[in-house]
Amino acid sequence: MKITILKRNALALVIRIILLLFLVDTLYALLILLFVKITPVPTDFVAIALFLWALHTLKYIFITAVLLRLLVQWLGTLYIMEGKLLTISTGVYAVKEKVYELNRIKSVSVQQDWIGRRFHYGNLTLELGSSGYHEAIELRDIQNPRQFEHMLAGQFV
């Protein structure tokens, strides 16, 4: 029985991190600019310095929390195809596994944005169904998703 691990693309994670840092720093700069515009000529430099220090600290707490969440989600998700079964394993500390029968696949689709097309990653959506049962499964940030789309479409649909 052949085991195939659908690899997740690390570049997708790096792009999300860069985008997060850019957006948070842009918002931070806008808040500083707004603060400077609405405050009168400063007389109490200590209060202003404490406010800016607190704002800066909150920014890094937020960035750290979101980065940790992104990393845990990315590291804690594994897609394994073994024979006619797909196992999705999620979690780092409390691992949860769901097993799907691939012979129930009704359709397979690929979603790629322009960055994903350029760097060969994207999301696979599998529509599973049988009498009275319908479910969509999304496999995120898969390397070369077209390869798996053709493999699944040819073998199971």
Side-chain angles (χ1 to χ4, degrees), residues 13-30:
L13 178 66
V14 170
I15 290 169
R16 285 191 180 98
I17 289 171
I18 290 169
L19 185 62
L20 169 73
L21 293 174
F22 174 77
L23 291 175
V24 170
D25 275 342
T26 302
L27 180 62
Y28 175 73
L30 289 173

Side-chain angles (χ1 to χ4, degrees), residues 140-157:
R140 296 182 47 88
D141 302 328
I142 302 297
Q143 285 184 5
N144 301 316
R146 296 278 177 209
Q147 171 189 359
F148 291 105
E149 176 190 35
H150 295 303
M151 182 182 76
L152 290 170
Q155 188 173 358
F156 299 108
V157 175

Side-chain angles (χ1 to χ4, degrees), residues 64-111:
T64 303
V66 174
L67 283 177
L68 284 174
R69 184 173 182 264
L70 282 173
L71 285 171
V72 166
Q73 280 181 341
W74 192 83
L75 291 171
T77 302
L78 182 65
Y79 307 120
I80 302 170
M81 288 192 324
E82 183 176 1
K84 294 190 177 194
L85 297 176
L86 170 68
T87 303
I88 300 175
S89 176
T90 56
V92 174
Y93 301 112
V95 178
K96 182 172 73 170
E97 288 187 348
K98 282 186 136 183
V99 179
Y100 300 94
E101 295 178 28
L102 293 176
N103 59 0
R104 295 178 185 239
I105 292 178
K106 299 300 179 198
S107 68
V108 179
S109 62
V110 174
Q111 297 84 33

Side-chain angles (χ1 to χ4, degrees), residues 110-128:
V110 174
Q111 297 84 33
Q112 289 180 293
D113 56 14
W114 66 275
I115 296 174
R117 283 190 299 277
R118 173 73 174 103
F119 294 105
H120 310 289
Y121 72 89
N123 299 335
L124 273 175
T125 302
L126 309 177
E127 298 282 336
L128 303 176

